[in-house]
Amino acid sequence: MNLKGFLDTALSHALDVGMGSSDDVLRHVTPELLATHLPRPLWARLLTACMGAPRVDAQLVVETVGVANLCEHMPIAVMWNCLSEIALRSLGREFVPLPVDSMSAMISVGSGPVLSRPAPLSLTPPPEERPREPAPERKPAVGPAIPSPSASDSLADVVAALEADAGGASPSGRARSATQQRFRQTNTGIGRLAANNARRPQAVAPVEPPMATAPARTARRGSTEVTDYDLETDVAKADDWKNALAVEDEQLVDWSGTNEETQAGGADDFPRKR
Amino acid sequence: MVESGLEHQVFGPTDVLAHATPEVLATHLPPELLGKVLAASLASGSMTPDRVLETVTPELLAKHLPHEVLWACIAAAAERAGVGADK
């Protein structure tokens, strides 16, 4: 039970809607009670506000300290009397203040120190741990007897054993063909030859029409072929290059010889041509 | 000494409360004295240094507040008066 929280909410709402005023609060929360129960930091705040304010009244005190702090630090009976007076006055009934000592004693007997403590997060204790019952024995599954494969059996052996049990006929009554290898071995490249590897239909690329003015070219040009791309060259001294590149028979290298023979005498006998 | 300074106007109540700040008062004054200060302020409608010192007399200040605080107030007033800078 969070009685302080209830008083804080109720009294704050009563002040907000105008049912009560700060004077009603200060009528019960006297300076003597504040001096007795208010913590020193709140007193420092209150004195600072009072010294800087042009007017010191009940509203300044209540707004400076705050209803929440009043409900937190003042005796609960005092705050209850304050709230009760406001409520009974709005109902047109006579307010009979409750003695602070008797209410404090009643609250202390009723709930004890739990009032000043926040409510625990979980009020229910954790469930008791029960010993686990053994799991019920599982019944064997009803169905065709399938031999459990041993570690040494291969998949082909298991399939062959199953077909032998079925008498070579499928459940549909048709004879089955001999079991073949159903799993592709690795690195066979069979995927490239699969039927589903056919190319999908593709869009036809537009073909440019051949140029009408340009003649068709062959892959290899002849020596007498003259086109627009031929460059004009001076052919008047066509035999000069043949004379410049003339090689004597002594300068020829016999490449059919071994490496040793070539390396042994090649460097000395034939001057390297750079 | 504080009473003498107030009497001879070496410093005023404002100078005293410049050192005896609300935090210092709230920390060192007894609760009943704090209640009296608030009650007097509520009755008069204001809390001025003069009214505070009417309730919390220099004798009570010297009784409850640390003497360093009171001496700082006296030393500052003396420095303003050109007496000295000893603190």
Coordinates of all heavy atoms in Angstrom, one line a residue, chain A residues 4-55:
Chain A
K4 N 1.5 7.2 0.8 CA 2.1 8.5 0.4 C 1.9 8.9 -1.0 O 1.6 10.1 -1.4 CB 3.6 8.5 0.7 CG 3.9 8.4 2.2 CD 5.4 8.4 2.5 CE 5.7 8.4 4.0 NZ 7.1 8.3 4.3
G5 N 2.0 7.9 -1.9 CA 1.7 8.2 -3.3 C 0.3 8.6 -3.5 O 0.0 9.5 -4.3
F6 N -0.6 7.9 -2.8 CA -2.0 8.3 -2.9 C -2.3 9.7 -2.4 O -3.0 10.5 -3.1 CB -2.9 7.3 -2.1 CG -4.2 7.8 -1.8 CD1 -5.2 7.9 -2.7 CD2 -4.5 8.2 -0.5 CE1 -6.5 8.4 -2.4 CE2 -5.8 8.7 -0.1 CZ -6.7 8.8 -1.1
L7 N -1.7 10.0 -1.3 CA -1.9 11.4 -0.8 C -1.3 12.4 -1.7 O -1.9 13.5 -1.9 CB -1.3 11.5 0.6 CG -2.0 10.7 1.7 CD1 -1.2 10.8 3.0 CD2 -3.4 11.3 2.0
D8 N -0.2 12.1 -2.3 CA 0.5 13.1 -3.2 C -0.4 13.3 -4.4 O -0.7 14.5 -4.8 CB 1.8 12.5 -3.6 CG 2.5 13.4 -4.7 OD1 2.2 14.6 -4.8 OD2 3.4 12.8 -5.4
T9 N -0.9 12.2 -5.0 CA -1.7 12.4 -6.2 C -3.1 13.1 -5.9 O -3.5 14.0 -6.6 CB -2.0 11.0 -6.8 OG1 -0.8 10.3 -7.0 CG2 -2.8 11.1 -8.1
A10 N -3.7 12.7 -4.8 CA -5.0 13.3 -4.5 C -4.9 14.7 -4.1 O -5.7 15.6 -4.6 CB -5.6 12.5 -3.3
L11 N -3.9 15.1 -3.3 CA -3.7 16.5 -2.9 C -3.3 17.3 -4.0 O -3.8 18.5 -4.2 CB -2.7 16.5 -1.7 CG -2.7 17.8 -0.9 CD1 -4.1 18.1 -0.4 CD2 -1.7 17.7 0.2
S12 N -2.4 16.8 -4.9 CA -2.0 17.6 -6.0 C -3.2 17.9 -7.0 O -3.3 19.0 -7.5 CB -0.9 16.9 -6.8 OG 0.2 16.7 -6.0
H13 N -4.0 16.9 -7.2 CA -5.1 17.1 -8.0 C -6.1 18.0 -7.4 O -6.8 18.8 -8.1 CB -5.8 15.7 -8.3 CG -6.8 15.7 -9.5 ND1 -6.3 16.0 -10.8 CD2 -8.1 15.6 -9.5 CE1 -7.4 15.9 -11.6 NE2 -8.5 15.7 -10.8
A14 N -6.3 17.9 -6.1 CA -7.2 18.9 -5.4 C -6.8 20.3 -5.6 O -7.6 21.2 -5.8 CB -7.4 18.5 -4.0
L15 N -5.5 20.5 -5.5 CA -4.9 21.9 -5.7 C -5.0 22.3 -7.1 O -5.3 23.5 -7.4 CB -3.5 21.9 -5.2 CG -3.3 21.7 -3.7 CD1 -1.8 21.7 -3.4 CD2 -4.0 22.7 -2.8
D16 N -4.9 21.4 -8.0 CA -4.9 21.8 -9.4 C -6.3 22.2 -9.8 O -6.5 23.1 -10.6 CB -4.4 20.6 -10.3 CG -3.0 20.4 -10.2 OD1 -2.2 21.3 -9.7 OD2 -2.5 19.2 -10.5
V17 N -7.3 21.5 -9.4 CA -8.7 21.8 -9.8 C -9.3 22.9 -9.0 O -10.4 23.3 -9.2 CB -9.6 20.5 -9.8 CG1 -9.0 19.5 -10.7 CG2 -9.7 20.0 -8.4
G18 N -8.6 23.3 -7.9 CA -9.1 24.4 -7.2 C -10.0 24.1 -6.0 O -10.6 24.9 -5.4
M19 N -10.0 22.8 -5.7 CA -10.8 22.4 -4.5 C -10.2 22.9 -3.3 O -10.9 23.2 -2.3 CB -10.9 20.8 -4.5 CG -11.8 20.2 -5.6 SD -11.9 18.4 -5.5 CE -12.5 18.2 -3.9
G20 N -8.9 22.9 -3.3 CA -8.2 23.4 -2.1 C -7.1 24.4 -2.5 O -6.8 24.6 -3.7
S21 N -6.5 25.0 -1.5 CA -5.5 26.1 -1.8 C -4.3 25.8 -0.9 O -4.3 24.9 -0.1 CB -6.0 27.5 -1.5 OG -6.3 27.6 -0.1
S22 N -3.2 26.5 -1.2 CA -2.0 26.3 -0.4 C -2.2 26.7 1.0 O -1.6 26.2 1.9 CB -0.9 27.2 -1.1 OG -0.7 26.8 -2.4
D23 N -3.2 27.6 1.3 CA -3.4 28.0 2.6 C -4.0 26.8 3.4 O -3.7 26.7 4.6 CB -4.4 29.2 2.7 CG -3.8 30.5 2.1 OD1 -2.6 30.6 2.3 OD2 -4.5 31.3 1.5
D24 N -4.8 26.0 2.7 CA -5.3 24.8 3.4 C -4.2 23.9 3.8 O -4.2 23.2 4.9 CB -6.3 24.1 2.5 CG -7.5 24.9 2.1 OD1 -7.9 25.7 3.0 OD2 -8.0 24.8 1.0
V25 N -3.2 23.8 2.9 CA -2.0 22.9 3.2 C -1.3 23.5 4.4 O -0.9 22.8 5.4 CB -1.2 22.8 2.0 CG1 0.1 21.9 2.3 CG2 -2.0 22.1 0.8
L26 N -1.0 24.8 4.3 CA -0.1 25.4 5.4 C -0.9 25.5 6.7 O -0.3 25.7 7.8 CB 0.3 26.8 5.0 CG 1.8 26.9 4.4 CD1 2.8 26.7 5.5 CD2 2.0 25.8 3.3
R27 N -2.2 25.3 6.7 CA -3.0 25.3 7.9 C -2.6 24.1 8.7 O -2.7 24.1 10.0 CB -4.5 25.4 7.6 CG -5.3 25.8 8.8 CD -6.8 25.9 8.5 NE -7.0 26.9 7.4 CZ -7.6 26.7 6.3 NH1 -8.0 25.5 6.0 NH2 -7.7 27.7 5.4
H28 N -2.3 23.0 8.0 CA -1.9 21.8 8.7 C -0.4 21.6 8.8 O 0.1 21.2 9.8 CB -2.6 20.6 8.0 CG -4.1 20.6 8.0 ND1 -4.8 20.1 9.0 CD2 -4.9 21.1 7.1 CE1 -6.1 20.2 8.7 NE2 -6.2 20.9 7.6
V29 N 0.2 21.9 7.7 CA 1.7 21.8 7.6 C 2.3 23.1 8.1 O 2.6 24.0 7.4 CB 2.2 21.5 6.2 CG1 3.7 21.3 6.2 CG2 1.5 20.3 5.6
T30 N 2.4 23.2 9.4 CA 2.9 24.4 10.1 C 4.4 24.6 9.9 O 5.1 23.6 9.6 CB 2.5 24.4 11.5 OG1 3.1 23.3 12.1 CG2 1.0 24.3 11.7
P31 N 4.9 25.8 10.1 CA 6.3 26.0 10.1 C 7.0 25.1 11.1 O 8.2 24.7 10.9 CB 6.5 27.4 10.4 CG 5.3 28.1 9.8 CD 4.2 27.1 10.1
E32 N 6.4 24.8 12.2 CA 7.0 24.0 13.2 C 7.2 22.6 12.7 O 8.2 21.9 12.9 CB 6.2 24.0 14.5 CG 6.2 25.3 15.3 CD 5.4 26.4 14.7 OE1 4.5 26.0 13.8 OE2 5.6 27.6 14.9
L33 N 6.1 22.1 12.1 CA 6.2 20.7 11.5 C 7.3 20.7 10.4 O 8.0 19.7 10.2 CB 4.8 20.3 11.0 CG 3.8 19.8 12.0 CD1 2.5 19.5 11.4 CD2 4.3 18.6 12.8
L34 N 7.3 21.8 9.6 CA 8.3 21.8 8.5 C 9.7 21.8 9.1 O 10.6 21.1 8.7 CB 8.1 23.1 7.7 CG 6.9 23.1 6.7 CD1 6.8 24.4 6.1 CD2 7.1 22.0 5.6
A35 N 9.9 22.6 10.2 CA 11.2 22.6 10.8 C 11.6 21.3 11.4 O 12.7 20.9 11.5 CB 11.1 23.7 11.9
T36 N 10.6 20.5 11.8 CA 10.9 19.2 12.5 C 11.1 18.1 11.4 O 12.1 17.3 11.6 CB 9.7 18.8 13.4 OG1 9.5 19.9 14.3 CG2 10.0 17.5 14.1
H37 N 10.4 18.1 10.3 CA 10.4 17.0 9.4 C 11.0 17.2 8.1 O 11.4 16.3 7.4 CB 9.0 16.4 9.2 CG 8.3 15.9 10.5 ND1 7.5 16.7 11.2 CD2 8.4 14.8 11.1 CE1 7.0 16.0 12.3 NE2 7.6 14.8 12.2
L38 N 11.1 18.5 7.7 CA 11.7 18.8 6.4 C 13.2 18.6 6.4 O 13.9 19.1 7.3 CB 11.3 20.2 5.9 CG 11.2 20.4 4.4 CD1 10.2 19.6 3.8 CD2 11.0 21.9 4.2
P39 N 13.8 17.9 5.4 CA 15.2 17.8 5.4 C 15.9 19.1 5.1 O 15.3 20.1 4.6 CB 15.5 16.8 4.2 CG 14.2 16.1 4.0 CD 13.1 17.1 4.4
R40 N 17.2 19.2 5.5 CA 17.9 20.4 5.4 C 18.1 20.9 4.0 O 18.0 22.2 3.8 CB 19.3 20.3 6.1 CG 19.2 20.0 7.6 CD 18.3 21.1 8.3 NE 18.1 20.8 9.7 CZ 18.7 21.5 10.7 NH1 19.6 22.4 10.4 NH2 18.5 21.2 12.0
P41 N 18.3 20.1 3.0 CA 18.4 20.6 1.7 C 17.1 21.3 1.2 O 17.2 22.3 0.5 CB 18.7 19.4 0.8 CG 19.4 18.5 1.8 CD 18.7 18.7 3.1
L42 N 16.0 20.7 1.6 CA 14.8 21.4 1.2 C 14.6 22.7 2.0 O 14.0 23.6 1.5 CB 13.6 20.4 1.5 CG 13.4 19.3 0.5 CD1 12.3 18.3 1.0 CD2 13.2 19.8 -0.9
W43 N 15.1 22.7 3.2 CA 15.0 24.0 3.9 C 15.9 25.1 3.2 O 15.5 26.2 3.2 CB 15.5 23.8 5.4 CG 14.4 23.7 6.3 CD1 14.0 22.6 7.0 CD2 13.5 24.7 6.7 NE1 12.9 22.8 7.8 CE2 12.6 24.2 7.7 CE3 13.4 26.1 6.4 CZ2 11.6 24.9 8.3 CZ3 12.4 26.8 7.0 CH2 11.5 26.2 7.9
A44 N 17.0 24.7 2.8 CA 17.9 25.6 2.1 C 17.2 26.1 0.8 O 17.3 27.3 0.5 CB 19.2 24.9 1.7
R45 N 16.5 25.2 0.1 CA 15.8 25.6 -1.1 C 14.7 26.6 -0.7 O 14.4 27.6 -1.4 CB 15.2 24.4 -1.8 CG 14.5 24.8 -3.1 CD 13.6 23.6 -3.6 NE 14.3 22.4 -3.8 CZ 13.7 21.3 -4.3 NH1 12.4 21.3 -4.4 NH2 14.4 20.2 -4.5
L46 N 14.0 26.3 0.4 CA 12.9 27.2 0.8 C 13.4 28.5 1.2 O 12.8 29.6 0.9 CB 12.1 26.5 1.9 CG 10.9 27.2 2.5 CD1 9.9 27.5 1.4 CD2 10.3 26.4 3.7
L47 N 14.5 28.6 2.0 CA 15.0 29.9 2.4 C 15.5 30.7 1.2 O 15.3 31.9 1.2 CB 16.1 29.7 3.4 CG 15.7 29.1 4.8 CD1 17.0 28.9 5.7 CD2 14.8 30.1 5.5
T48 N 16.1 30.0 0.3 CA 16.6 30.7 -0.9 C 15.4 31.4 -1.7 O 15.5 32.5 -2.1 CB 17.4 29.8 -1.8 OG1 18.4 29.2 -1.1 CG2 17.9 30.5 -3.0
A49 N 14.4 30.6 -1.8 CA 13.2 31.1 -2.6 C 12.5 32.2 -1.8 O 12.1 33.2 -2.4 CB 12.2 29.9 -2.8
C50 N 12.5 32.1 -0.5 CA 11.8 33.1 0.3 C 12.6 34.4 0.3 O 12.0 35.5 0.2 CB 11.6 32.6 1.7 SG 10.4 31.3 1.9
M51 N 13.9 34.3 0.3 CA 14.7 35.5 0.3 C 14.7 36.3 -1.0 O 14.9 37.5 -1.1 CB 16.2 35.2 0.7 CG 16.3 34.9 2.2 SD 18.0 34.6 2.7 CE 17.8 34.3 4.4
G52 N 14.5 35.5 -2.1 CA 14.5 36.1 -3.4 C 13.1 36.5 -3.8 O 13.0 37.1 -4.9
A53 N 12.1 36.2 -3.1 CA 10.8 36.4 -3.5 C 10.3 37.8 -3.0 O 10.6 38.1 -1.8 CB 9.8 35.3 -3.1
P54 N 9.5 38.5 -3.7 CA 9.0 39.8 -3.2 C 7.9 39.5 -2.1 O 7.7 40.4 -1.3 CB 8.4 40.5 -4.4 CG 8.1 39.4 -5.4 CD 9.1 38.3 -5.1
R55 N 7.3 38.4 -2.2 CA 6.2 38.1 -1.2 C 6.3 36.6 -0.8 O 6.5 35.8 -1.6 CB 4.9 38.4 -1.8 CG 3.7 38.0 -0.8 CD 2.4 38.5 -1.3 NE 1.3 38.1 -0.4 CZ 1.0 38.7 0.7 NH1 1.7 39.7 1.1 NH2 0.0 38.2 1.5

